[in-house]
Amino acid sequence: DAIAFFDAFEEAEMPTINLPNPDRSISAYTLSGTPIPFVQHKANDFNRIAYAAAHVVADPLATNDPWLTPAIDWDTTLKFRHRLWDLGLGVAEAMDTAQRGMGLGWAEAQELIRRAQAEARTRDDSLIAYGAGTDHLQPGPDVTIDAIIAAYEEQVGFVEGEGGRVILMASRALAAAAKTPDDYAKVYSRILSQVKQPVVMHWLGEMFDPALAGYWGHVDHDAAMDVCLDVIAANADKVDGIKISLLSAEKEIAMRRRLPASVKMYTGDDFNYAELIAGDNQGYSHALLGIFDAIAPAASAGLAALGKGDEKAFHDLLAPTVPLSRHIFAAPTRFYKTGVVFLAYLNGLQDHFQMIGGQQSTRSVQHLSELFRLADKARVLSDPELAVKRMNAVLNVNSVSA
């Protein structure tokens, strides 16, 4: 079937689209990437655990003020989770990619968690975990460490009450309130001592969220890493793994080599994930990545190849996606969600390019045009004709002639 798929594309003439260039000129671009086919897998086809941090789909016809009140298309949002499971990927739910703290509040996150957990129960291959943090607690000078602990307890309790597994998210309130590294140790040790099953911790760097600068009590990442590793070592039986999102392969590898043997490293590095997942002679990283939402068929195919011992095929599939990911996650990195959703729109996984919080406006037409080119080269435009049609619609509304 896959051979027939490729043969059909080789015989078809690839479409052409007029795209703007950085010098404001417009030139024809002919697509060249043969789409990576959608092939179902099971998670046990892989020798790495791989979560895709999934986005939410806005409801564009709701009567609301998008900057103030999120409206979510639940059916399409949940259908997308099933697509990830069909590819053998896990779902990291209600995380940064779902616009947590950038449009998705705790009230909406609770509804998302309830609905996603109900969907997960309908199948026996649904790997899923849920973000629990303190985002319902507004940071401020009067917020105490005890209040932060109580906020974590509330969200962790909700996730566990729904039967879900916890991803322990970083806390803006803690970053603002902590006076010393000991405050971080106190909060994390208290929460970890209470969890029902081991959690995935998440260290989200300031490039993703400027409010998290100085996390673990140090601006210097190496010093912060020492604090984080001490917390993990003291609570190793309650930590399944840690995801770090610092966009530095060197820092991730250094930390990976210092983890207790029972604790996994989940790469959150959307710049260097391919090499980190492949690993070296001293270990490898599992994955918990926002980019896997956008490149799910490529990620699945690559992981399946790696699971069969074919590292060359793994890199052949994933290496072309890295320039795309680096573009999507370019500074200001927190706006990467726009690129993730734009690819879902181009690929027909949602019918519009709208986002909760009005976040579709965070990237320029030039950025989206380069994203289109890189997505083609990465072979992640599943239907080139549809992608061209939808790209033209976006260009037209921005007065770029087709």
Side-chain angles (χ1 to χ4, degrees):
D1 290 343
I3 293 173
F5 179 91
F6 286 120
D7 287 344
F9 267 96
E10 286 176 359
E11 294 173 3
E13 184 176 342
M14 295 297 277
T16 296
I17 182 172
N18 290 330
L19 293 175
N21 303 302
D23 64 1
R24 306 179 71 90
S25 66
I26 296 174
S27 59
Y29 176 81
T30 300
L31 282 74
S32 60
T34 301
I36 294 170
F38 186 103
V39 178
Q40 291 195 354
H41 287 286
K42 298 285 189 181
N44 59 14
D45 292 340
F46 308 152
N47 57 4
R48 306 287 190 270
I49 299 168
Y51 289 94
H55 76 281
V56 295
V57 181
D59 178 357
L61 298 181
T63 303
N64 68 316
D65 297 303
W67 281 30
L68 303 176
T69 308
I72 297 171
D73 177 345
W74 292 112
D75 290 344
T76 308
T77 293
L78 295 170
K79 183 179 179 181
F80 187 79
R81 274 73 182 149
H82 283 282
R83 180 177 187 266
L84 295 174
W85 287 324
D86 287 343
L87 289 164
L89 300 172
V91 173
E93 189 59 276
M95 298 287 291
D96 189 56
T97 307
Q99 296 179 242
R100 190 78 176 266
M102 288 187 68
L104 189 80
W106 174 231
E108 295 79 28
Q110 286 176 284
E111 184 66 15
L112 178 59
I113 291 165
R114 284 192 199 98
R115 289 174 180 263
Q117 183 68 354
E119 293 297 316
R121 292 192 186 103
T122 67
R123 50 195 297 166
D124 60 7
D125 60 347
S126 53
L127 176 63
I128 189 166
Y130 303 92
T134 67
D135 48 316
H136 62 294
L137 180 65
Q138 187 67 29
D142 298 328
V143 174
T144 65
I145 296 299
D146 285 342
I148 293 166
I149 290 172
Y152 264 126
E153 288 174 338
E154 178 181 339
Q155 293 203 14
V156 169
F158 177 81
V159 171
E160 292 187 334
E162 292 294 317
R165 186 172 190 174
V166 170
I167 301 171
L168 202 59
M169 300 172 69
S171 167
R172 290 175 177 172
L174 180 56
K179 301 294 191 293
T180 69
D182 289 342
D183 288 331
Y184 288 88
K186 177 181 178 180
V187 170
Y188 277 87
S189 294
R190 178 78 67 83
I191 300 305
L192 290 171
S193 72
Q194 300 175 50
V195 295
K196 294 179 179 178
Q197 59 179 322
V199 308
V200 176
M201 293 171 56
H202 187 197
W203 177 6
L204 187 67
E206 64 277 4
M207 64 289 297
F208 286 88
D209 186 345
L212 296 175
Y215 212 71
W216 303 111
H218 295 282
V219 173
D220 177 73
H221 287 160
D222 293 330
M225 189 183 297
D226 290 339
V227 177
C228 183
L229 284 164
D230 286 345
V231 169
I232 293 171
N235 302 276
D237 61 327
K238 294 299 185 78
V239 181
D240 168 70
I242 180 165
K243 166 183 173 165
I244 68 167
S245 302
L246 300 178
L247 301 182
S248 166
E250 294 75 18
K251 291 172 185 174
E252 180 173 318
I253 291 169
M255 188 172 187
R256 186 173 75 196
R257 292 176 178 174
R258 296 173 62 189
L259 288 173
S262 62
V263 177
K264 304 177 188 71
M265 173 60 75
Y266 289 90
T267 185
D269 188 337
D270 299 279
F271 281 10
N272 305 292
Y273 49 92
E275 64 184 90
L276 291 164
I277 293 168
D280 55 32
N281 59 6
Q282 296 186 53
Y284 55 79
S285 297
H286 299 275
L288 201 165
L289 290 162
I291 193 60
F292 275 13
D293 173 303
I295 64 164
S300 176
L303 289 164
L306 190 63
K308 295 175 182 176
D310 192 344
E311 189 168 329
K312 181 182 183 302
F314 168 81
H315 284 295
D316 286 347
L317 286 158
L318 284 189
T321 71
V322 172
L324 169 65
S325 187
R326 291 186 176 195
H327 180 71
I328 289 174
F329 285 80
T333 301
R334 64 187 181 277
F335 296 145
Y336 77 88
K337 281 80 80 173
T338 303
V340 170
V341 172
F342 188 58
L343 262 177
Y345 166 68
L346 292 177
N347 282 324
L349 302 173
Q350 56 189 77
D351 293 332
H352 57 83
F353 179 42
Q354 296 289 313
M355 296 173 67
I356 62 173
Q359 290 287 307
Q360 70 274 5
S361 66
T362 66
R363 295 297 201 186
S364 68
V365 172
Q366 290 283 1
H367 179 94
L368 298 177
S369 297
E370 182 62 12
L371 187 157
F372 184 94
R373 296 183 188 95
L374 292 170
D376 170 51
K377 292 180 173 67
R379 301 171 54 207
V380 296
L381 296 177
S382 60
D383 181 342
E385 295 282 356
L386 177 64
V388 165
K389 178 181 178 182
R390 291 190 163 194
M391 185 73 213
N392 270 327
V394 171
L395 294 172
N396 289 340
V397 82
N398 285 281
S399 300
V400 179
S401 57

